[in-house]
Amino acid sequence: MQQIKNFINGEFVDGIEGKTFDKYSPVDNNLIARISEAGKSDVDAAVRAAHAARRGAWGALTTDQRVDLLYGVADEITRRFEDFVAAEMADTGQPRHVMTQVFIPRGAANFKVFADIIKNVPTESFQMPTPDGRGALNYGIRVPKGVIGVISPWNAPFLLMTWKVGPALACGNTVVVKPSEETPLTCTLLGEVMNSVGIPKGVFNVIHGFGPASAGEYLTHHPLVDAITFTGETRTGTAIMKAAAEGMRDVSFELGGKNAGIVFADADFDAAVEGISRSSFLNSGQVCLGTERVYVERPIFERFVQALKAKAEGVKFGRPEDHHSNYGPLISAEHKQKVLSYYAKAAAEGATIITGGGVPEMPAELAAGHWVQPTIWTGLPETASVVREEVFGPCCHICPFDSEEQVINLANDNDYGLSTTIWTTNLARAHRVAARVEVGITWINSWFLRDLRTAFGGSKQSGIGREGGVHSLEFYTETRNICVKL
Ligand code: NAD
Ligand code: 6OD
């Protein structure tokens, strides 16, 4: 069993109060790590270390020097690739191919891409006339915001945490990260990387613990935290926004979703089935961008339902490192209970269960893991709980539609607005529908295809602000104007 410590001012330290909590494997519920919980004074020490580093060693570097160090971080993640893969598999129980192809390489890319962007994006400049005819020149400079509080979730822990730490550091800020209590491992490992490449002490800090009355809340209430970037549930975002109001701190929020997939009858059928299968079931449905509402044009409805059923029934449950398996468990016993309660609600509300709806039979050594079946429903009204609320599990409801106008209204009839995936070979229609769907991110004939220079974020209750490319620079820096009389 591993002992996991906080990472404060370049040192791995136990919380001063001596409190710990346990991490169990999602795969078999065995104890895998004991984590030191940060108390109020530990969080204070981490924030003060970040504050001092911002004003000290980190603030003294030129952009080029910072960028070189961040390239070093990316290279060291790549060098220690297998350590990160193993840690993330242990934390989440998700298959090795998801780690090696998506989650860990993206962690390294999150440092490289934003290092490049900060080097290459100019600031604005305006010349203006003055009454004496000599004129004046205005130019903007970007300055870091200061200490950024980073609060991240468990579903793609390394990708989502570095997605914020990468640009925050590239812009010259320092960070205090509170990873999810469910997934403490890769964030802690990143502390080792920071030390080995020579990132100054205090630039990157990790505090472990929970939300309310624990590390998360202590961090968001700390007066020396200058801005908060958060990924997680909309409900948690509300609590954090209240904390950030004290002291007028800026926030960037990436929140929940209840995303629609729209499949027109003219779509490449096999590609659409494959795409929706990925968007509904990848990572056992624990992807904020995932599809839980599928709308399929009536002429292909029955055929599509049967084809997606075959995909759902084809998954191979097993340990992440087992090459024969391609499907993992949910993150925790608590989350499994939540997902199963939605499965029960769907049945009670009259769903036709096309497949799944329960727990798979697992071999004895995995039976205590948090496994649930990929599940497909049809026949529910749009008012049903599993059609309206985010389940965050491997499930979707499929509903037929008859016109473009109708499906746009169906897709938009939800409080969330994170992402959509649209499947059609009619390019004009694809553009038309994409422009009217009320979400931050739309994919056409694809899903989760990411260019890190693009704007990423949610509409409605799915978020506040945009990150990615120059949008991250907007959040992680403040532009100041300097006016020079010529
Ligand atoms: P969560 O909101 O329960 O927890 C996220 C983080 O917030 C954790 O580190 C948690 O400890 C912390 N936290 C909880 N309460 C807090 C408080 N009061 N103050 C400070 N910190 C607090 O979310 P989760 O269950 O870890 O993640 C799943 C959710 O995240 C889903 O709703 C999913 O859609 C969303 N998500 C959104 C995106 C996106 O990009 N929009 C990406 C991934 C996940
Ligand atoms: O790709 C990203 O940058 C990103 N933030 C993905 C979010 C995935 C949600 O589960």
Side-chain angles (χ1 to χ4, degrees):
M1 187 189 57
Q2 293 187 65
Q3 304 284 341
I4 300 296
K5 298 186 186 228
N6 301 287
F7 183 69
I8 299 175
N9 205 20
E11 310 283 340
F12 287 96
V13 291
D14 285 324
I16 284 171
E17 294 165 21
K19 284 207 248 171
T20 59
F21 60 97
D22 292 339
K23 162 71 189 171
Y24 295 89
S25 164
V27 169
D28 53 16
N29 212 24
N30 283 336
L31 183 61
I32 55 172
R34 181 148 294 154
I35 297 113
S36 169
E37 184 177 349
K40 217 173 196 163
S41 55
D42 306 305
V43 174
D44 183 56
V47 174
R48 286 183 189 283
H51 188 69
R54 164 68 209 111
R55 300 219 160 159
W58 194 237
L61 298 182
T62 63
T63 301
D64 280 357
Q65 288 169 324
R66 244 179 18 240
V67 160
D68 284 349
L69 281 169
L70 295 179
Y71 260 76
V73 171
D75 291 344
E76 183 65 3
I77 292 169
T78 306
R79 196 185 68 76
R80 295 192 59 183
F81 193 75
E82 285 302 329
D83 295 342
F84 279 95
V85 168
E88 194 95 319
M89 287 196 310
D91 257 348
T92 65
Q94 291 300 319
R96 183 179 161 81
H97 73 268
V98 181
M99 304 302 142
T100 57
Q101 290 167 21
V102 188
F103 290 175
I104 305 306
R106 255 300 297 280
N110 284 336
F111 286 96
K112 272 208 166 116
V113 167
F114 290 102
D116 287 339
I117 289 172
I118 195 72
K119 262 175 80 164
N120 292 308
V121 172
T123 52
E124 64 187 16
S125 158
F126 293 99
Q127 289 189 23
M128 64 182 286
T130 54
D132 64 6
R134 287 159 60 192
L137 172 69
N138 292 275
Y139 65 92
I141 57 167
R142 275 182 202 287
V143 296
K145 278 216 169 114
V147 177
I148 308 289
V150 178
I151 300 189
S152 52
W154 46 259
N155 63 306
F158 192 56
L159 183 159
L160 291 167
M161 179 266 299
T162 51
W163 168 242
K164 291 169 178 302
V165 171
L169 297 190
C171 290
N173 302 283
T174 54
V175 296
V176 179
V177 186
K178 211 298 278 171
S180 169
E181 55 275 28
E182 303 289 356
T183 50
L185 299 185
T186 42
C187 192
T188 311
L189 210 47
L190 189 58
E192 290 180 18
V193 167
M194 295 288 174
N195 276 354
S196 68
V197 304
I199 297 286
K201 286 180 187 305
V203 171
F204 174 79
N205 303 274
V206 181
I207 47 161
H208 291 295
F210 303 84
S214 183
E217 195 175 292
Y218 303 146
L219 179 62
T220 57
H221 281 85
H222 199 294
L224 289 180
V225 171
D226 297 293
I228 300 164
T229 181
F230 166 71
T231 303
E233 282 191 22
T234 300
R235 200 176 50 230
T236 312
T238 307
I240 293 177
M241 199 162 181
K242 286 182 183 155
E246 202 60 53
M248 291 297 155
R249 277 90 53 76
D250 203 356
V251 295
S252 173
F253 284 172
E254 294 174 358
L255 308 175
K258 186 70 186 179
N259 311 304
I262 301 175
V263 184
F264 286 96
D266 64 15
D268 174 335
F269 185 83
D270 292 343
V273 171
E274 178 61 32
I276 297 288
S277 166
R278 274 187 70 235
S279 68
S280 294
F281 305 135
L282 182 82
N283 213 32
S284 305
Q286 303 166 119
V287 180
C288 59
L289 308 158
T291 307
E292 291 189 357
R293 300 183 287 147
V294 186
Y295 299 100
V296 179
E297 204 167 3
R298 201 173 298 274
I300 61 163
F301 178 77
E302 283 304 335
R303 188 172 154 229
F304 186 92
V305 170
Q306 291 311 312
L308 197 66
K309 173 178 190 280
K311 289 275 183 197
E313 291 175 354
V315 304
K316 296 191 176 60
F317 300 95
R319 289 186 183 277
E321 56 279 358
D322 173 355
H323 291 295
H324 303 293
S325 86
N326 61 10
Y327 201 79
L330 298 180
I331 189 71
S332 63
E334 189 191 350
H335 191 53
K336 177 179 175 183
Q337 268 328 104
K338 177 185 163 188
V339 171
L340 289 179
S341 77
Y342 273 109
Y343 283 13
K345 261 190 209 169
E349 289 181 89
T352 300
I353 301 167
I354 300 296
T355 187
V359 173
E361 240 178 70
M362 299 299 292
E365 76 273 15
L366 299 180
H370 314 312
W371 308 92
V372 299
Q373 291 173 317
T375 294
I376 301 172
W377 305 286
T378 59
L380 284 170
E382 289 294 296
T383 50
S385 314
V386 297
V387 182
R388 301 217 70 76
E389 297 164 24
E390 182 185 52
V391 180
F392 219 52
C395 56
C396 62
H397 177 255
I398 316 184
C399 170
F401 72 87
D402 297 298
S403 73
E404 196 175 301
E405 196 59 27
Q406 182 199 11
V407 78
I408 291 169
N409 289 330
L410 287 166
N412 286 342
D413 181 23
N414 197 270
D415 293 338
Y416 292 110
L418 188 55
S419 78
T420 323
T421 170
I422 300 172
W423 295 83
T424 177
T425 50
N426 179 335
L427 202 55
R429 171 154 61 198
H431 289 296
R432 221 170 30 235
V433 176
R436 291 185 58 198
V437 184
E438 297 163 353
V439 295
I441 307 143
T442 291
W443 280 284
I444 294 169
N445 297 327
S446 63
W447 176 76
F448 207 170
L449 185 57
R450 294 280 290 116
D451 181 329
L452 306 190
R453 296 167 299 182
T454 60
F456 183 96
S459 302
K460 302 198 274 193
Q461 292 199 18
S462 289
I464 295 184
R466 293 290 178 269
E467 297 199 33
V470 294
H471 309 280
S472 292
L473 305 195
E474 291 305 315
F475 179 70
Y476 293 108
T477 62
E478 192 174 271
T479 302
R480 294 187 181 155
N481 186 65
I482 296 175
C483 178
V484 188
K485 177 75 196 305
L486 298 173

